[in-house]
mmCIF file of all heavy atoms in Angstrom:
data_model
loop_
_atom_site.group_PDB
_atom_site.id
_atom_site.type_symbol
_atom_site.label_atom_id
_atom_site.label_comp_id
_atom_site.label_asym_id
_atom_site.label_seq_id
_atom_site.Cartn_x
_atom_site.Cartn_y
_atom_site.Cartn_z
ATOM 1 N N TYR A 49 6.543 12.116 -9.093
ATOM 2 C CA TYR A 49 5.823 11.250 -9.979
ATOM 3 C C TYR A 49 6.066 9.740 -9.685
ATOM 4 O O TYR A 49 5.097 9.006 -9.514
ATOM 5 C CB TYR A 49 6.204 11.533 -11.448
ATOM 6 C CG TYR A 49 5.446 10.734 -12.461
ATOM 7 C CD1 TYR A 49 4.154 11.055 -12.777
ATOM 8 C CD2 TYR A 49 5.999 9.659 -13.107
ATOM 9 C CE1 TYR A 49 3.422 10.352 -13.686
ATOM 10 C CE2 TYR A 49 5.336 8.923 -14.074
ATOM 11 C CZ TYR A 49 4.016 9.250 -14.354
ATOM 12 O OH TYR A 49 3.295 8.507 -15.252
ATOM 13 N N ALA A 50 7.291 9.335 -9.544
ATOM 14 C CA ALA A 50 7.576 7.907 -9.298
ATOM 15 C C ALA A 50 7.025 7.479 -7.922
ATOM 16 O O ALA A 50 6.446 6.390 -7.835
ATOM 17 C CB ALA A 50 9.076 7.671 -9.307
ATOM 18 N N MET A 51 7.097 8.293 -6.942
ATOM 19 C CA MET A 51 6.599 7.892 -5.621
ATOM 20 C C MET A 51 5.038 7.890 -5.628
ATOM 21 O O MET A 51 4.439 7.052 -4.969
ATOM 22 C CB MET A 51 7.116 8.827 -4.483
ATOM 23 C CG MET A 51 8.636 8.766 -4.307
ATOM 24 S SD MET A 51 9.218 7.082 -3.792
ATOM 25 C CE MET A 51 9.954 6.474 -5.308
ATOM 26 N N HIS A 52 4.451 8.817 -6.371
ATOM 27 C CA HIS A 52 2.992 8.793 -6.505
ATOM 28 C C HIS A 52 2.518 7.523 -7.138
ATOM 29 O O HIS A 52 1.570 6.877 -6.635
ATOM 30 C CB HIS A 52 2.488 10.030 -7.292
ATOM 31 C CG HIS A 52 1.009 10.077 -7.450
ATOM 32 N ND1 HIS A 52 0.162 10.409 -6.438
ATOM 33 C CD2 HIS A 52 0.264 9.768 -8.498
ATOM 34 C CE1 HIS A 52 -1.057 10.351 -6.878
ATOM 35 N NE2 HIS A 52 -1.018 9.965 -8.112
ATOM 36 N N LEU A 53 3.166 7.123 -8.227
ATOM 37 C CA LEU A 53 2.745 5.829 -8.874
ATOM 38 C C LEU A 53 3.001 4.660 -7.970
ATOM 39 O O LEU A 53 2.202 3.699 -7.920
ATOM 40 C CB LEU A 53 3.538 5.676 -10.204
ATOM 41 C CG LEU A 53 3.134 6.614 -11.343
ATOM 42 C CD1 LEU A 53 3.971 6.267 -12.571
ATOM 43 C CD2 LEU A 53 1.661 6.519 -11.663
ATOM 44 N N THR A 54 4.110 4.684 -7.245
ATOM 45 C CA THR A 54 4.447 3.606 -6.283
ATOM 46 C C THR A 54 3.349 3.525 -5.239
ATOM 47 O O THR A 54 2.860 2.419 -4.876
ATOM 48 C CB THR A 54 5.832 3.752 -5.702
ATOM 49 O OG1 THR A 54 6.805 3.740 -6.766
ATOM 50 C CG2 THR A 54 6.134 2.713 -4.670
ATOM 51 N N MET A 55 2.951 4.658 -4.665
ATOM 52 C CA MET A 55 1.937 4.670 -3.636
ATOM 53 C C MET A 55 0.619 4.177 -4.149
ATOM 54 O O MET A 55 -0.136 3.396 -3.508
ATOM 55 C CB MET A 55 1.730 6.100 -3.075
ATOM 56 C CG MET A 55 0.631 6.187 -2.002
ATOM 57 S SD MET A 55 1.013 5.188 -0.513
ATOM 58 C CE MET A 55 2.163 6.290 0.282
ATOM 59 N N THR A 56 0.260 4.513 -5.411
ATOM 60 C CA THR A 56 -0.979 4.084 -6.025
ATOM 61 C C THR A 56 -0.944 2.552 -6.135
ATOM 62 O O THR A 56 -1.917 1.871 -5.794
ATOM 63 C CB THR A 56 -1.189 4.756 -7.385
ATOM 64 O OG1 THR A 56 -1.281 6.160 -7.198
ATOM 65 C CG2 THR A 56 -2.440 4.225 -8.101
ATOM 66 N N GLU A 57 0.170 2.023 -6.636
ATOM 67 C CA GLU A 57 0.276 0.567 -6.768
ATOM 68 C C GLU A 57 0.240 -0.118 -5.462
ATOM 69 O O GLU A 57 -0.401 -1.186 -5.301
ATOM 70 C CB GLU A 57 1.583 0.229 -7.517
ATOM 71 C CG GLU A 57 1.777 -1.231 -7.768
ATOM 72 C CD GLU A 57 0.763 -1.881 -8.712
ATOM 73 O OE1 GLU A 57 0.064 -1.164 -9.459
ATOM 74 O OE2 GLU A 57 0.678 -3.118 -8.694
ATOM 75 N N LEU A 58 0.907 0.407 -4.434
ATOM 76 C CA LEU A 58 0.884 -0.191 -3.090
ATOM 77 C C LEU A 58 -0.522 -0.227 -2.529
ATOM 78 O O LEU A 58 -0.973 -1.263 -2.039
ATOM 79 C CB LEU A 58 1.812 0.574 -2.158
ATOM 80 C CG LEU A 58 1.807 0.116 -0.692
ATOM 81 C CD1 LEU A 58 2.358 -1.325 -0.602
ATOM 82 C CD2 LEU A 58 2.621 1.083 0.160
ATOM 83 N N ALA A 59 -1.264 0.868 -2.658
ATOM 84 C CA ALA A 59 -2.643 0.920 -2.162
ATOM 85 C C ALA A 59 -3.526 -0.069 -2.916
ATOM 86 O O ALA A 59 -4.361 -0.744 -2.274
ATOM 87 C CB ALA A 59 -3.202 2.353 -2.287
ATOM 88 N N GLN A 60 -3.319 -0.204 -4.192
ATOM 89 C CA GLN A 60 -4.104 -1.164 -4.957
ATOM 90 C C GLN A 60 -3.809 -2.609 -4.618
ATOM 91 O O GLN A 60 -4.653 -3.434 -4.481
ATOM 92 C CB GLN A 60 -3.922 -0.943 -6.457
ATOM 93 C CG GLN A 60 -4.610 0.353 -6.939
ATOM 94 C CD GLN A 60 -4.416 0.618 -8.430
ATOM 95 O OE1 GLN A 60 -3.604 -0.042 -9.090
ATOM 96 N NE2 GLN A 60 -5.079 1.596 -8.906
ATOM 97 N N MET A 61 -2.505 -2.883 -4.378
ATOM 98 C CA MET A 61 -2.104 -4.213 -3.913
ATOM 99 C C MET A 61 -2.721 -4.543 -2.590
ATOM 100 O O MET A 61 -3.202 -5.641 -2.388
ATOM 101 C CB MET A 61 -0.575 -4.325 -3.834
ATOM 102 C CG MET A 61 0.103 -4.355 -5.225
ATOM 103 S SD MET A 61 1.901 -4.275 -5.100
ATOM 104 C CE MET A 61 2.285 -5.992 -4.775
ATOM 105 N N CYS A 62 -2.694 -3.587 -1.647
ATOM 106 C CA CYS A 62 -3.242 -3.806 -0.329
ATOM 107 C C CYS A 62 -4.733 -4.029 -0.408
ATOM 108 O O CYS A 62 -5.299 -4.819 0.329
ATOM 109 C CB CYS A 62 -2.900 -2.651 0.602
ATOM 110 S SG CYS A 62 -1.155 -2.575 1.078
ATOM 111 N N GLY A 63 -5.384 -3.340 -1.296
ATOM 112 C CA GLY A 63 -6.834 -3.430 -1.468
ATOM 113 C C GLY A 63 -7.296 -4.646 -2.250
ATOM 114 O O GLY A 63 -8.504 -4.870 -2.337
ATOM 115 N N ARG A 64 -6.377 -5.431 -2.790
ATOM 116 C CA ARG A 64 -6.758 -6.578 -3.550
ATOM 117 C C ARG A 64 -7.586 -7.587 -2.793
ATOM 118 O O ARG A 64 -8.438 -8.243 -3.328
ATOM 119 C CB ARG A 64 -5.442 -7.296 -4.004
ATOM 120 C CG ARG A 64 -5.578 -8.330 -5.046
ATOM 121 C CD ARG A 64 -5.782 -7.863 -6.471
ATOM 122 N NE ARG A 64 -5.066 -6.692 -6.786
ATOM 123 C CZ ARG A 64 -5.674 -5.587 -7.349
ATOM 124 N NH1 ARG A 64 -6.936 -5.579 -7.586
ATOM 125 N NH2 ARG A 64 -4.979 -4.520 -7.634
ATOM 126 N N ILE A 65 -7.406 -7.653 -1.402
ATOM 127 C CA ILE A 65 -8.149 -8.623 -0.614
ATOM 128 C C ILE A 65 -9.278 -8.025 0.199
ATOM 129 O O ILE A 65 -10.018 -8.725 0.839
ATOM 130 C CB ILE A 65 -7.189 -9.389 0.312
ATOM 131 C CG1 ILE A 65 -6.518 -8.536 1.323
ATOM 132 C CG2 ILE A 65 -6.182 -10.212 -0.508
ATOM 133 C CD1 ILE A 65 -5.720 -9.261 2.389
ATOM 134 N N CYS A 66 -9.331 -6.711 0.240
ATOM 135 C CA CYS A 66 -10.447 -6.020 0.954
ATOM 136 C C CYS A 66 -11.210 -5.120 -0.018
ATOM 137 O O CYS A 66 -10.763 -4.070 -0.399
ATOM 138 C CB CYS A 66 -9.897 -5.123 2.098
ATOM 139 S SG CYS A 66 -9.134 -6.082 3.395
ATOM 140 N N ARG A 67 -12.357 -5.651 -0.500
ATOM 141 C CA ARG A 67 -13.024 -4.999 -1.626
ATOM 142 C C ARG A 67 -14.295 -4.271 -1.273
ATOM 143 O O ARG A 67 -14.840 -3.613 -2.137
ATOM 144 C CB ARG A 67 -13.370 -6.078 -2.637
ATOM 145 C CG ARG A 67 -12.186 -6.958 -3.107
ATOM 146 C CD ARG A 67 -11.046 -6.120 -3.662
ATOM 147 N NE ARG A 67 -11.427 -5.703 -5.028
ATOM 148 C CZ ARG A 67 -10.655 -4.937 -5.772
ATOM 149 N NH1 ARG A 67 -9.520 -4.493 -5.357
ATOM 150 N NH2 ARG A 67 -11.018 -4.614 -6.960
ATOM 151 N N ASN A 68 -14.699 -4.323 -0.018
ATOM 152 C CA ASN A 68 -15.879 -3.557 0.419
ATOM 153 C C ASN A 68 -15.755 -3.337 1.944
ATOM 154 O O ASN A 68 -14.885 -3.828 2.586
ATOM 155 C CB ASN A 68 -17.172 -4.261 0.044
ATOM 156 C CG ASN A 68 -17.270 -5.663 0.669
ATOM 157 O OD1 ASN A 68 -17.321 -5.820 1.888
ATOM 158 N ND2 ASN A 68 -17.322 -6.685 -0.185
ATOM 159 N N GLU A 69 -16.699 -2.545 2.465
ATOM 160 C CA GLU A 69 -16.581 -2.146 3.911
ATOM 161 C C GLU A 69 -16.777 -3.324 4.828
ATOM 162 O O GLU A 69 -16.357 -3.179 6.019
ATOM 163 C CB GLU A 69 -17.571 -1.013 4.207
ATOM 164 C CG GLU A 69 -19.020 -1.253 3.911
ATOM 165 C CD GLU A 69 -19.465 -1.099 2.482
ATOM 166 O OE1 GLU A 69 -18.678 -0.480 1.676
ATOM 167 O OE2 GLU A 69 -20.569 -1.525 2.140
ATOM 168 N N LYS A 70 -17.378 -4.394 4.436
ATOM 169 C CA LYS A 70 -17.549 -5.557 5.325
ATOM 170 C C LYS A 70 -16.453 -6.610 5.148
ATOM 171 O O LYS A 70 -16.391 -7.519 5.917
ATOM 172 C CB LYS A 70 -18.898 -6.196 5.130
ATOM 173 C CG LYS A 70 -20.016 -5.272 5.549
ATOM 174 C CD LYS A 70 -21.372 -5.929 5.342
ATOM 175 C CE LYS A 70 -22.450 -4.957 5.790
ATOM 176 N NZ LYS A 70 -23.793 -5.514 5.569
ATOM 177 N N ASP A 71 -15.657 -6.459 4.132
ATOM 178 C CA ASP A 71 -14.563 -7.390 3.840
ATOM 179 C C ASP A 71 -13.415 -7.072 4.781
ATOM 180 O O ASP A 71 -13.251 -5.980 5.264
ATOM 181 C CB ASP A 71 -14.127 -7.259 2.387
ATOM 182 C CG ASP A 71 -13.483 -8.526 1.808
ATOM 183 O OD1 ASP A 71 -13.356 -9.486 2.559
ATOM 184 O OD2 ASP A 71 -13.151 -8.503 0.631
ATOM 185 N N TRP A 72 -12.556 -8.047 5.019
ATOM 186 C CA TRP A 72 -11.381 -7.842 5.867
ATOM 187 C C TRP A 72 -10.265 -8.756 5.447
ATOM 188 O O TRP A 72 -10.435 -9.759 4.801
ATOM 189 C CB TRP A 72 -11.722 -8.080 7.335
ATOM 190 C CG TRP A 72 -12.202 -9.448 7.648
ATOM 191 C CD1 TRP A 72 -13.529 -9.902 7.552
ATOM 192 C CD2 TRP A 72 -11.435 -10.616 8.031
ATOM 193 N NE1 TRP A 72 -13.581 -11.213 7.891
ATOM 194 C CE2 TRP A 72 -12.323 -11.678 8.163
ATOM 195 C CE3 TRP A 72 -10.099 -10.827 8.243
ATOM 196 C CZ2 TRP A 72 -11.889 -12.931 8.556
ATOM 197 C CZ3 TRP A 72 -9.644 -12.069 8.631
ATOM 198 C CH2 TRP A 72 -10.552 -13.129 8.774
ATOM 199 N N GLY A 73 -9.040 -8.347 5.778
ATOM 200 C CA GLY A 73 -7.845 -9.113 5.514
ATOM 201 C C GLY A 73 -6.644 -8.430 6.099
ATOM 202 O O GLY A 73 -6.704 -7.235 6.435
ATOM 203 N N GLU A 74 -5.576 -9.114 6.164
ATOM 204 C CA GLU A 74 -4.327 -8.648 6.718
ATOM 205 C C GLU A 74 -3.237 -8.599 5.640
ATOM 206 O O GLU A 74 -3.103 -9.585 4.903
ATOM 207 C CB GLU A 74 -3.892 -9.586 7.851
ATOM 208 C CG GLU A 74 -2.558 -9.306 8.466
ATOM 209 C CD GLU A 74 -2.205 -10.357 9.497
ATOM 210 O OE1 GLU A 74 -2.653 -11.527 9.452
ATOM 211 O OE2 GLU A 74 -1.432 -10.001 10.460
ATOM 212 N N THR A 75 -2.563 -7.498 5.561
ATOM 213 C CA THR A 75 -1.441 -7.372 4.602
ATOM 214 C C THR A 75 -0.176 -7.133 5.385
ATOM 215 O O THR A 75 -0.072 -6.299 6.223
ATOM 216 C CB THR A 75 -1.681 -6.199 3.642
ATOM 217 O OG1 THR A 75 -2.829 -6.454 2.838
ATOM 218 C CG2 THR A 75 -0.467 -6.059 2.660
ATOM 219 N N ILE A 76 0.840 -7.921 5.067
ATOM 220 C CA ILE A 76 2.118 -7.807 5.700
ATOM 221 C C ILE A 76 3.136 -7.431 4.604
ATOM 222 O O ILE A 76 3.240 -8.134 3.548
ATOM 223 C CB ILE A 76 2.556 -9.134 6.354
ATOM 224 C CG1 ILE A 76 1.581 -9.474 7.462
ATOM 225 C CG2 ILE A 76 4.016 -9.011 6.913
ATOM 226 C CD1 ILE A 76 1.684 -10.903 7.960
ATOM 227 N N VAL A 77 3.890 -6.372 4.799
ATOM 228 C CA VAL A 77 4.888 -5.944 3.822
ATOM 229 C C VAL A 77 6.273 -6.289 4.448
ATOM 230 O O VAL A 77 6.641 -5.813 5.493
ATOM 231 C CB VAL A 77 4.844 -4.420 3.566
ATOM 232 C CG1 VAL A 77 5.875 -4.029 2.570
ATOM 233 C CG2 VAL A 77 3.443 -4.018 3.074
ATOM 234 N N LEU A 78 6.975 -7.201 3.777
ATOM 235 C CA LEU A 78 8.250 -7.674 4.291
ATOM 236 C C LEU A 78 9.420 -6.747 4.031
ATOM 237 O O LEU A 78 10.430 -6.854 4.682
ATOM 238 C CB LEU A 78 8.583 -9.030 3.693
ATOM 239 C CG LEU A 78 7.664 -10.170 4.047
ATOM 240 C CD1 LEU A 78 8.143 -11.489 3.417
ATOM 241 C CD2 LEU A 78 7.477 -10.354 5.537
ATOM 242 N N ASP A 79 9.283 -5.845 3.092
ATOM 243 C CA ASP A 79 10.322 -4.946 2.647
ATOM 244 C C ASP A 79 10.544 -3.857 3.716
ATOM 245 O O ASP A 79 9.602 -3.097 3.975
ATOM 246 C CB ASP A 79 9.945 -4.329 1.298
ATOM 247 C CG ASP A 79 11.030 -3.510 0.675
ATOM 248 O OD1 ASP A 79 12.005 -3.146 1.357
ATOM 249 O OD2 ASP A 79 10.889 -3.231 -0.571
ATOM 250 N N ASN A 80 11.681 -3.785 4.284
ATOM 251 C CA ASN A 80 11.998 -2.713 5.315
ATOM 252 C C ASN A 80 11.842 -1.310 4.743
ATOM 253 O O ASN A 80 11.713 -0.388 5.482
ATOM 254 C CB ASN A 80 13.357 -2.914 5.909
ATOM 255 C CG ASN A 80 13.402 -3.986 6.923
ATOM 256 O OD1 ASN A 80 12.388 -4.450 7.395
ATOM 257 N ND2 ASN A 80 14.572 -4.446 7.269
ATOM 258 N N ASN A 81 11.856 -1.198 3.421
ATOM 259 C CA ASN A 81 11.676 0.139 2.793
ATOM 260 C C ASN A 81 10.296 0.735 3.058
ATOM 261 O O ASN A 81 10.086 1.893 2.860
ATOM 262 C CB ASN A 81 11.936 0.068 1.297
ATOM 263 C CG ASN A 81 13.441 -0.056 0.994
ATOM 264 O OD1 ASN A 81 14.199 0.736 1.483
ATOM 265 N ND2 ASN A 81 13.770 -1.019 0.200
ATOM 266 N N ILE A 82 9.351 -0.088 3.522
ATOM 267 C CA ILE A 82 7.989 0.448 3.795
ATOM 268 C C ILE A 82 8.034 1.540 4.829
ATOM 269 O O ILE A 82 7.247 2.492 4.739
ATOM 270 C CB ILE A 82 7.011 -0.716 4.204
ATOM 271 C CG1 ILE A 82 5.570 -0.224 4.190
ATOM 272 C CG2 ILE A 82 7.371 -1.302 5.538
ATOM 273 C CD1 ILE A 82 5.017 0.151 2.787
ATOM 274 N N GLY A 83 8.917 1.472 5.802
ATOM 275 C CA GLY A 83 9.006 2.458 6.855
ATOM 276 C C GLY A 83 9.331 3.829 6.321
ATOM 277 O O GLY A 83 8.599 4.800 6.513
ATOM 278 N N TRP A 84 10.458 3.919 5.629
ATOM 279 C CA TRP A 84 10.829 5.273 5.106
ATOM 280 C C TRP A 84 9.937 5.682 4.014
ATOM 281 O O TRP A 84 9.648 6.871 3.839
ATOM 282 C CB TRP A 84 12.338 5.313 4.701
ATOM 283 C CG TRP A 84 12.695 4.648 3.414
ATOM 284 C CD1 TRP A 84 13.306 3.433 3.272
ATOM 285 C CD2 TRP A 84 12.483 5.134 2.105
ATOM 286 N NE1 TRP A 84 13.425 3.144 1.946
ATOM 287 C CE2 TRP A 84 12.941 4.169 1.199
ATOM 288 C CE3 TRP A 84 11.890 6.317 1.556
ATOM 289 C CZ2 TRP A 84 12.910 4.316 -0.184
ATOM 290 C CZ3 TRP A 84 11.866 6.466 0.166
ATOM 291 C CH2 TRP A 84 12.361 5.480 -0.672
ATOM 292 N N PHE A 85 9.435 4.728 3.173
ATOM 293 C CA PHE A 85 8.535 5.075 2.115
ATOM 294 C C PHE A 85 7.259 5.772 2.625
ATOM 295 O O PHE A 85 6.874 6.831 2.185
ATOM 296 C CB PHE A 85 8.117 3.877 1.280
ATOM 297 C CG PHE A 85 7.157 4.173 0.197
ATOM 298 C CD1 PHE A 85 7.526 4.855 -0.928
ATOM 299 C CD2 PHE A 85 5.809 3.834 0.337
ATOM 300 C CE1 PHE A 85 6.622 5.175 -1.945
ATOM 301 C CE2 PHE A 85 4.887 4.188 -0.656
ATOM 302 C CZ PHE A 85 5.329 4.817 -1.798
ATOM 303 N N MET A 86 6.658 5.207 3.702
ATOM 304 C CA MET A 86 5.435 5.770 4.244
ATOM 305 C C MET A 86 5.716 7.083 5.000
ATOM 306 O O MET A 86 4.952 8.025 4.916
ATOM 307 C CB MET A 86 4.715 4.765 5.140
ATOM 308 C CG MET A 86 4.072 3.647 4.399
ATOM 309 S SD MET A 86 2.934 4.132 3.098
ATOM 310 C CE MET A 86 1.605 4.871 4.043
ATOM 311 N N ARG A 87 6.869 7.132 5.681
ATOM 312 C CA ARG A 87 7.208 8.406 6.372
ATOM 313 C C ARG A 87 7.416 9.570 5.385
ATOM 314 O O ARG A 87 6.985 10.646 5.577
ATOM 315 C CB ARG A 87 8.515 8.224 7.220
ATOM 316 C CG ARG A 87 8.294 7.561 8.534
ATOM 317 C CD ARG A 87 9.517 7.689 9.439
ATOM 318 N NE ARG A 87 10.715 7.096 8.861
ATOM 319 C CZ ARG A 87 11.079 5.805 8.926
ATOM 320 N NH1 ARG A 87 10.308 4.926 9.584
ATOM 321 N NH2 ARG A 87 12.177 5.375 8.399
ATOM 322 N N SER A 88 8.060 9.207 4.258
ATOM 323 C CA SER A 88 8.358 10.234 3.245
ATOM 324 C C SER A 88 7.217 10.511 2.299
ATOM 325 O O SER A 88 7.173 11.626 1.741
ATOM 326 C CB SER A 88 9.578 9.772 2.421
ATOM 327 O OG SER A 88 10.695 9.573 3.240
ATOM 328 N N ASN A 89 6.353 9.591 2.044
ATOM 329 C CA ASN A 89 5.356 9.712 1.010
ATOM 330 C C ASN A 89 3.916 9.453 1.497
ATOM 331 O O ASN A 89 3.028 9.326 0.656
ATOM 332 C CB ASN A 89 5.666 8.714 -0.093
ATOM 333 C CG ASN A 89 7.032 8.966 -0.687
ATOM 334 O OD1 ASN A 89 7.229 9.980 -1.411
ATOM 335 N ND2 ASN A 89 7.993 8.132 -0.353
ATOM 336 N N GLY A 90 3.712 9.456 2.744
ATOM 337 C CA GLY A 90 2.363 9.175 3.316
ATOM 338 C C GLY A 90 1.338 10.135 2.779
ATOM 339 O O GLY A 90 0.143 9.766 2.649
ATOM 340 N N GLY A 91 1.684 11.378 2.506
ATOM 341 C CA GLY A 91 0.769 12.375 1.976
ATOM 342 C C GLY A 91 0.264 12.049 0.577
ATOM 343 O O GLY A 91 -0.754 12.616 0.142
ATOM 344 N N LEU A 92 0.892 11.115 -0.097
ATOM 345 C CA LEU A 92 0.449 10.683 -1.431
ATOM 346 C C LEU A 92 -0.566 9.580 -1.384
ATOM 347 O O LEU A 92 -1.149 9.246 -2.422
ATOM 348 C CB LEU A 92 1.656 10.239 -2.250
ATOM 349 C CG LEU A 92 2.740 11.253 -2.512
ATOM 350 C CD1 LEU A 92 3.919 10.576 -3.200
ATOM 351 C CD2 LEU A 92 2.250 12.419 -3.303
#
């Protein structure tokens, strides 16, 4: 549950600057936890 909500929030944060198929932007995550988080929870 917690990881699902975290993934949802992360995806929404990343999507804040790309709102349609022609829009573009770059997101950089400074937190080193992104590596293990995505490896462990990418399926969410």
Side-chain angles (χ1 to χ4, degrees):
Y49 184 75
M51 294 300 105
H52 179 75
L53 289 181
T54 298
M55 180 62 78
T56 300
E57 182 65 17
L58 177 64
Q60 288 178 352
M61 289 173 82
C62 289
R64 192 77 36 234
I65 64 171
C66 294
R67 306 303 283 179
N68 60 63
E69 59 277 349
K70 293 182 181 178
D71 205 357
W72 59 273
E74 175 184 28
T75 297
I76 298 166
V77 181
L78 296 181
D79 188 345
N80 281 345
N81 285 309
I82 192 67
W84 75 258
F85 177 75
M86 289 305 294
R87 280 190 302 274
S88 301
N89 301 287
L92 300 173

